[in-house]
Every structure is written in C-alpha cells, then in structure tokens.
C-alpha cells in the first residue's frame, strides 16, 4: 500500500500518530529514493518536535532494521555480546574492552562509527594503526569473528541503508537530538548484529550528544525497552561526559592509551569503566565473577594478544600495538599553562572535543580527512591542584594556522578556582529492564 508522504508529514506535524504500515512504507520509500531528502527532513523535524509513541518507535526501529541485511550468528555457540556508546570526547573504551572480553570467551561482532562533530569515532582511532582496514564485507566480518571472537568494523553497504541515509540527513538538518530518532538509529544497527546481549554507554553532560541527565536517562530507558522487546538482554549505564575520558583525546594517542589499559597501566577512569563494562558484558553472557577473569586476562597478556591478533586479521601492523611509540605523531607540540594557582573546577569536554576536531583529529564535514597524529594530552583534570605555569595540556598538531586559531578556544576549557572540588561520579546510574 502506498501513502501520501505529505499526509504523513502533516499528521506528525500536527501531533498525530503514524500507523505501522505507513512507517514501514515511508522507510522503504526513503531507502529506495522515492521519498526525497527534503520530505524526510521535514518528517525528522516533526518527529524531533512531537516525538513518537511506543508502537511508532517499535515500527520505526523494525523498518530500519529490515531495510538491509540482518546478520545471523546463531551457529556460533558462544554468547554474542556488544557494547555501544552514544559518543563522547576521549571515549576509547571499546578498544581495550572488546579484546579484553573476547579473551574471556565471549564473541563481540562490533559495528562502530566514525567521528562526526566534536565526538571521536572508534573506526578513525583504529585506522591510526597502519593498514588496519575497517571496511569488511559480510564474509570477512564473519571469518574474523569466528577465528578471533571479535571483529571491529564499520557497517557494510548492505546493512541498515535507511540509517546510513537518515543519520547523514539528520546531521545536516539539526535533527540529531531526538530520543526516538537516536534510539531507533542505534538499536536498529545493534539488532542487525544478531546479538544475545548489549551494553549501552549513554553519555551525559557537556561533551555528550544529549547533555541533560533526565533526557539521557529517557534515552537509556527507551533503548533498553527496544532491546528487551527484541529478546536482546540490554543494560545501559549513564556515565559522565563533563570532562574527557582518560588523558588522551585524538586518534593514535587514544590507541596508545587503550594499549596502556590492556597492559594494566591505563588511567584510572578508562580502566574502571573498561572493567565495569567488561564485568557486565560477561554477566550478560551468564559468566559470574567476571572481574577476576578480566584481571587475569590483563595480567597474563591474553587481552593484549587479542588486540594484536585482531589487528593482523584486519590487515594492520601489529608492531605498533607491541610498541606504541611507533604510532604516528603530528610534528609540532605546544603547551597550555595554568594561568594561576588553584583547583581545576572545569575541564570542558565539549570545548576540548571541538578544538581537537578543528585541529584535524576529527571531521567537521563528512568528507574531511582525519589526521591520526593530531592529539591533546590532558595534564590537569577536574579536582587536580595546579600551580601557575603548570601544564594543563600538551597539544600535537600539524598545521600552524589551525593551532593559532584554536589556542584561545582550547585554553578556555579549564577554569582554575580557589576552592577545591570533588569530580562528579563517572558512573551515574545503571538502567535495565527492572528499572524502566
Ligand atoms: N549515534 C547513532 O548511531 N545514531 C544517532 O542517531 C546518534 C548517535
């Protein structure tokens, strides 16, 4: 049955409800090009303003999920568990986490994204390992997963074409921060991976896509509900993105920090989040007492070996994982100094993420090329005491004019005050089916 797209837009614009049949038709027609971008952007804005009810959301997610190929790993006996973050600054957790849990026996068929806007992307970070290819066809994706228990790739052309088109459209039309559109976008991608369990890291605060805690909680609850209705055991954590995660923001430098975690030498916040998420993922697979197993996988070197093995499987150069000093670094270095003595009471994730992006570590537009050697190393974070002249950050850059344009902006990320402050909790709340 065909529908009038104008009628559907007007229904949503006026606060009405779209039928499941209409949603299925609309997503199909948008995917095959018969509904143009300008009409879908009007629909996306009407959804952003008026929301969707549970039935509409279920139908929208289902239609997106079935717009392309859905993977089936039911022949793999081990539990297939994935993790997804809504995106942040310095958020490299997937890179140490996936090899770590794979070393403990679960399978992770991870489909990741690229950085867009001020947030980084796992694929860009991995591609700072020379030769590491993230574009795998479905057969290679399956082969790497079966052989190694993990795979870290981008969505293939045949998966979720509706989301690929719609996400790009939303980025260009101010319609990203809609809870139904974000949750259906993320969950359709994750449900296409044929999972048994899913951990969601919903970032909240300055550097998050959704900054407000109540809206972040609503997003987490919505996604946990979608997972449950598809039989995928889904747990979400609300975690703070007021300041960047870890000490490194960029790409190659974030790979180095991830390797530090797998060697037991990572910064406390990245290590703790990796361990809590790892334990939860093992729990989703029915493995209790996961913490000791994770610690053992780090101490024995098994987790680092998994990263080395998967690097080789993706065509990457394992020598940079064995010796991260070989990773690329941009040629120039600058230091931001503390202007006076005091306590760091603000280390703003958004400002730091925007600066890193504009220096070349991310993309302002979809076709920008990322410079993997550009990076910011944070030397002072929330609650730290600094003396005048102490370094707040070390910046590596390639293009002098970009650094000249960013110096003041990046310096403005820190506030140094007389009064000490206690940093906010990193893990704010856990959301599962019992709490929605
Ligand atoms: N990440 C996604 O995959 N989709 C969104 O809509 C927002 C963040």
């Amino acid at each position: 049955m065909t529908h009038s797209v104008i009628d559907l837009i007007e229904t949503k614009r006026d606060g009405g409800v779209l039928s499941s049949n209409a949603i299925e038709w609309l997503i199909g027609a948008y995917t095959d090009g018969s509904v143009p971008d300008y009409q879908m952007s009007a629909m996306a804005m009407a959804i952003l303003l008026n929301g969707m009810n549970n039935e509409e959301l279920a139908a929208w997610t289902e239609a997106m999920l079935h717009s392309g190929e859905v993977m089936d790993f039911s022949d793999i006996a081990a539990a297939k568990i994935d993790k997804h973050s809504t995106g942040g600054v310095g958020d490299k957790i997937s890179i140490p986490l996936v090899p770590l849990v794979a070393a403990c026996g679960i399978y992770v068929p991870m489909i990741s994204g690229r950085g867009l806007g001020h947030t980084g992307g796992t694929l860009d970070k991995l591609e700072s390992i020379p030769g590491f290819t993230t574009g795998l066809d479905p057969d290679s994706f399956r082969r790497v997963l079966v052989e190694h228990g993990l795979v870290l790739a981008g969505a293939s052309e045949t998966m979720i074409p509706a989301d690929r088109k719609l996400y790009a459209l939303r980025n260009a039309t101010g319609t990203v921060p809609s809870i139904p559109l974000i949750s259906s976008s993320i969950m359709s991608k994750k449900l296409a991976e044929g999972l048994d369990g899913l951990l969601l890291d919903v970032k909240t605060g300055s550097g998050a896509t959704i900054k407000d805690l109540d809206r972040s909680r609503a997003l987490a609850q919505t996604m946990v509900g979608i997972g449950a209705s598809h039989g995928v055991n889904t747990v979400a954590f609300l975690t703070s993105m007021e300041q960047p995660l870890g000490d490194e923001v960029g790409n190659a430098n974030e790979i180095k920090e991830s390797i530090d975690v797998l060697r037991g030498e990572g910064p406390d916040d990245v290590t703790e989040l990796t361990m809590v998420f790892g334990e939860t993922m093992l729990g989703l697979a029915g493995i209790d007492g996961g913490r000791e197993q994770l610690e053992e996988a780090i101490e024995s070197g098994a987790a680092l070996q998994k990263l080395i093995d998967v690097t080789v499987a993706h065509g990457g150069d394992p020598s940079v994982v064995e010796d991260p000093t070989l990773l690329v670094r941009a040629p120039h270095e600058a230091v931001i100094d503390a202007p006076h003595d005091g306590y760091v009471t603000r280390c703003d994730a958004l400002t730091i993420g925007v600066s890193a992006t504009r220096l070349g570590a991310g993309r302002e537009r979809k076709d920008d090329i990322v410079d993997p050697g550009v990076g910011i190393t944070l030397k002072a974070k929330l609650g730290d005491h600094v003396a005048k002249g102490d370094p707040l950050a070390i910046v590596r850059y390639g293009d002098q004019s970009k650094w000249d344009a960013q110096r003041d902006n990046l310096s403005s990320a820190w506030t140094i005050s007389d009064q000490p402050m206690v940093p906010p909790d990193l893990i704010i709340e856990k959301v599962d089916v019992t709490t929605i």
Side-chain angles (χ1 to χ4, degrees):
M1 178 180 172
T2 54
H3 293 259
S4 152
V5 67
I6 298 174
D7 284 353
L8 300 183
I9 293 168
E10 288 175 351
T11 299
K12 215 5 80 198
R13 179 197 66 193
D14 297 339
V17 173
L18 301 177
S19 70
S20 299
N21 182 283
I23 289 173
E24 194 184 330
W25 173 82
L26 177 66
I27 297 285
Y30 179 56
T31 308
D32 72 23
S34 42
V35 167
D37 276 350
Y38 57 82
Q39 287 184 313
M40 198 56 163
S41 51
M43 177 59 89
M45 185 58 82
I47 292 170
L48 179 134
L49 296 173
N50 290 325
M52 285 201 255
N53 70 22
N54 286 343
E55 286 72 37
E56 289 174 296
L57 182 60
W60 191 278
T61 308
E62 198 67 20
M64 300 256 289
L65 166 61
H66 291 292
S67 68
E69 189 186 347
V70 178
M71 292 192 274
D72 179 5
F73 298 124
S74 52
D75 54 311
I76 299 176
K80 279 77 60 185
I81 315 284
D82 196 9
K83 169 257 178 187
H84 180 84
S85 162
T86 56
V89 180
D91 183 5
K92 72 276 297 166
I93 297 294
S94 294
I95 297 166
L97 175 67
V98 175
L100 178 58
V101 294
C104 296
I106 62 175
Y107 277 54
V108 188
M110 180 174 271
I111 296 204
S112 302
R114 297 197 175 276
L116 194 64
H118 69 279
T119 62
T122 301
L123 300 181
D124 296 323
K125 297 181 216 274
L126 287 169
E127 286 174 0
S128 59
I129 298 174
F132 199 112
T133 305
T134 57
L136 299 185
D137 60 51
D139 288 344
S140 309
F141 189 93
R142 167 179 279 276
R143 183 178 42 74
V144 176
L145 177 66
V146 169
E147 279 175 20
H148 300 283
L150 73 166
V151 55
L152 297 151
S156 73
E157 286 299 310
T158 51
M159 286 182 73
I160 331 283
D163 183 63
R164 199 165 318 115
K165 277 187 87 173
L166 186 55
Y167 192 30
L169 183 74
R170 288 167 54 218
N171 264 308
T173 56
T175 50
V176 169
S178 147
I179 288 173
L181 291 178
I182 295 176
S183 52
S184 54
S185 163
I186 292 175
M187 292 305 288
S188 61
K189 284 188 283 247
K190 293 288 135 181
L191 294 170
E193 293 176 358
L195 299 176
D196 301 305
L198 175 63
L199 182 147
L200 297 164
D201 181 7
V202 178
K203 300 286 182 206
T204 188
S206 154
T209 312
I210 293 195
K211 302 180 195 322
D212 171 77
L213 180 58
D214 288 339
R215 275 175 53 75
S216 301
R217 184 180 294 113
L219 175 62
Q221 290 170 334
T222 304
M223 292 196 289
V224 167
I226 296 174
S229 66
H230 282 82
V232 176
N233 198 354
T234 306
V235 171
F237 286 88
L238 294 174
T239 67
S240 175
M241 192 29 75
E242 280 308 327
Q243 64 177 345
L245 203 44
D247 299 336
E248 301 290 348
V249 178
N251 291 285
N253 56 334
E254 291 201 37
I255 293 287
K256 179 193 173 296
E257 194 166 61
S258 304
I259 294 167
D260 289 346
V261 173
L262 292 177
R263 289 190 162 143
E265 297 160 4
D268 290 349
D269 56 351
V270 182
T271 301
E272 184 54 16
L273 217 48
T274 304
M275 298 306 268
V276 170
F277 288 177
E279 203 175 348
T280 306
M281 289 172 78
L282 294 183
L284 287 170
I287 301 170
D288 291 331
R291 185 90 183 199
E292 284 106 73
Q293 285 201 41
L294 298 168
E295 281 163 3
E296 165 61 23
I298 290 177
E299 273 160 34
S300 67
L304 183 61
Q305 189 58 47
K306 274 281 173 203
L307 181 60
I308 293 170
D309 293 347
V310 82
T311 296
V312 174
H314 279 261
D317 177 359
S319 65
V320 299
V321 182
E322 285 154 2
D323 178 5
T325 61
L326 299 175
L327 283 158
V328 63
R329 289 161 74 92
H332 307 299
E333 202 166 281
V335 181
I336 295 187
D337 293 331
H340 52 83
D341 294 4
Y343 296 91
V344 177
T345 54
R346 192 172 137 275
C347 173
D348 187 55
L350 178 60
T351 310
I352 294 168
V354 168
S355 271
T357 300
R358 294 193 180 152
L359 286 168
R363 282 184 198 79
E364 291 182 79
R365 287 199 308 263
K366 255 182 83 181
D367 47 4
D368 285 348
I369 293 172
V370 167
D371 182 341
V374 165
I376 300 173
T377 302
L378 307 175
K379 292 291 185 186
K381 295 188 68 183
L382 288 176
D384 290 349
H385 184 267
V386 290
K388 181 173 189 277
D390 279 354
L392 299 176
I394 297 173
V395 183
R396 275 176 310 285
Y397 61 94
D399 181 328
Q400 188 64 41
S401 63
K402 287 186 179 168
W403 171 237
D404 291 342
Q406 281 313 305
R407 187 191 309 265
D408 289 349
N409 183 43
L410 183 57
S411 305
S412 76
W414 283 263
T415 301
I416 314 289
S417 309
D418 292 340
Q419 296 301 316
M421 72 98 70
V422 180
D425 287 341
L426 180 57
I427 298 178
I428 299 165
E429 207 170 299
K430 186 175 174 184
V431 177
D432 62 24
V433 273
T434 64
T435 58
I436 58 173

